[in-house]
Amino acid sequence: MANHFSLSNYDEAADYLRAHTHHRPTIGLILGSGLSGLAARIEDATVIPYADIPFFPVSTVAGHAGRLVIGTLAGATVCAMQGRFHYYEGYSMQQVTLPVRVMQRLGIDTLIVTNAAGGLNPSFAVGDIMLIDDHINLVGMAGANPLLGANLEEFGPRFPAANRVYTRRLRQVAEEVARDAAINLRHGVYIQLAGPNFETAAEVRMLRAWGADAVGMSTVAETMVAHHAGMNVLGFSTITNVAIDELDAEGQPTHDEVMDAGKIIVPRLTELLLGVMQRLGQGA
Ligand code: HPA
């Protein structure tokens, strides 16, 4: 399998960003479905549409704005993706994860990802926020792994470990912030599927039996690439719907439902993220 991008492609995109903002971000933020409003909190912002950045694909999903917002948030300098790329849009996994490598070349050492997810854990309810402890890279295991192809040693090793993708210290910081803000933070394992369809009832039962607590169509490829590149990683799933595990049950998950739940969760997720930024800014 050929690599989609070379090191000089990633550097060209990073150089473009450097030339178009005076900010020098150290934290990358990926805002998932329904969550992109959080970027409005970024101050002194430079906004760069994906269409202007060399090699960036264009996000095609409703609710994904498709631009980078670079500026300051709670004392930290961040580069936020307002909208991400998904495998189901027809992009290769290397296109999906291009922004993460560009961020790394830009000097970002910490990646914070958010997503919308279906709750598999029976104790989860719509509106919950789950700290991602670990993941199941189902799509990668099945052969669509962004790390396939010639390895770029400048990022990381050919055979990266994956038993500590989500940085322990960052998870502890998130816990502390949640406790102080009285936010009921759940924990669990996220599993990425290709999408774009939601799951059958039988699939939901299978995913649960495998030990997954939340299911979605993003994130894992991004966090694996970040981890490969030596970045610290923190992830949150927002539970926008409860996955349906019973054949012929009433109701069905819809994209509108996902977007509506996102709006309810944004204030709490914002508080959580601002708290984490603040502590990271203080050297946590
Ligand atoms: N399944 C897959 N992806 C999702 C879901 C879901 O139930 N909710 C939000 N993204």
Side-chain angles (χ1 to χ4, degrees):
M1 180 179 297
N3 272 331
H4 230 109
F5 304 107
S6 64
L7 186 65
S8 64
N9 293 157
Y10 296 116
D11 280 338
E12 192 178 327
D15 286 344
Y16 178 90
L17 299 178
R18 254 182 228 109
H20 285 81
T21 181
H22 64 278
H23 293 295
R24 293 294 173 260
T26 57
I27 298 176
L29 194 55
I30 303 182
L31 301 173
S33 298
L35 309 172
S36 65
L38 217 141
R41 302 290 292 263
I42 295 174
E43 291 167 10
D44 189 21
T46 308
V47 177
I48 305 177
Y50 295 157
D52 294 352
I53 309 170
F55 306 105
F56 263 56
V58 175
S59 178
T60 64
V61 191
H64 284 256
R67 53 196 206 163
L68 285 186
V69 182
I70 306 174
T72 58
L73 189 60
T77 307
V78 303
C79 172
M81 288 184 73
Q82 231 182 355
R84 56 152 57 89
F85 306 114
H86 300 86
Y87 190 60
Y88 62 71
E89 293 173 83
Y91 300 122
S92 72
M93 277 305 194
Q94 288 178 353
Q95 286 177 299
V96 166
T97 57
L98 166 90
V100 176
R101 284 189 160 175
V102 172
M103 285 181 187
Q104 198 261 10
R105 298 304 282 176
L106 195 58
I108 287 172
D109 63 11
T110 300
L111 181 68
I112 303 178
V113 293
T114 63
N115 62 45
L120 295 167
N121 185 320
S123 77
F124 288 1
V126 171
D128 279 350
I129 301 175
M130 183 190 91
L131 178 64
I132 304 177
D133 289 329
D134 200 357
H135 71 219
I136 299 175
N137 188 1
L138 183 66
V139 184
M141 287 169 160
N145 190 318
L147 301 176
L148 290 178
N151 185 54
L152 291 176
E153 294 290 329
E154 291 83 357
F155 288 106
R158 168 78 291 183
F159 299 109
N163 57 313
R164 287 198 309 239
V165 174
Y166 299 87
T167 311
R168 186 164 181 215
R169 178 70 200 128
L170 293 184
R171 286 188 282 124
Q172 285 169 343
V173 168
E175 297 272 21
E176 288 162 17
V177 172
R179 201 182 49 228
D180 291 354
I183 292 170
N184 180 16
L185 187 60
R186 317 303 297 261
H187 280 263
V189 173
Y190 176 88
I191 187 164
Q192 176 177 2
L193 310 189
N197 58 276
F198 292 99
E199 300 71 43
T200 67
E203 287 163 352
V204 167
R205 295 192 299 270
M206 177 192 79
L207 298 174
R208 192 180 286 145
W210 282 357
D213 297 290
V215 56
M217 307 175 192
S218 68
T219 301
V220 169
E222 298 155 355
T223 57
M224 258 328 294
V225 163
H227 182 61
H228 175 252
M231 297 164 82
N232 300 308
V233 178
L234 181 65
F236 298 102
S237 286
T238 59
I239 306 301
T240 57
N241 57 290
V242 170
I244 297 171
D245 62 1
E246 200 183 316
L247 188 64
D248 296 330
E250 288 296 319
Q252 58 182 30
T254 64
H255 187 58
D256 286 345
E257 177 187 33
V258 169
M259 299 302 290
D260 287 348
K263 284 182 206 133
I264 297 167
I265 300 168
V266 160
R268 258 176 305 135
L269 186 65
T270 303
E271 193 175 358
L272 199 51
L273 288 175
L274 290 178
V276 169
M277 299 293 170
Q278 204 165 20
R279 286 186 200 218
L280 292 183
Q282 292 163 357

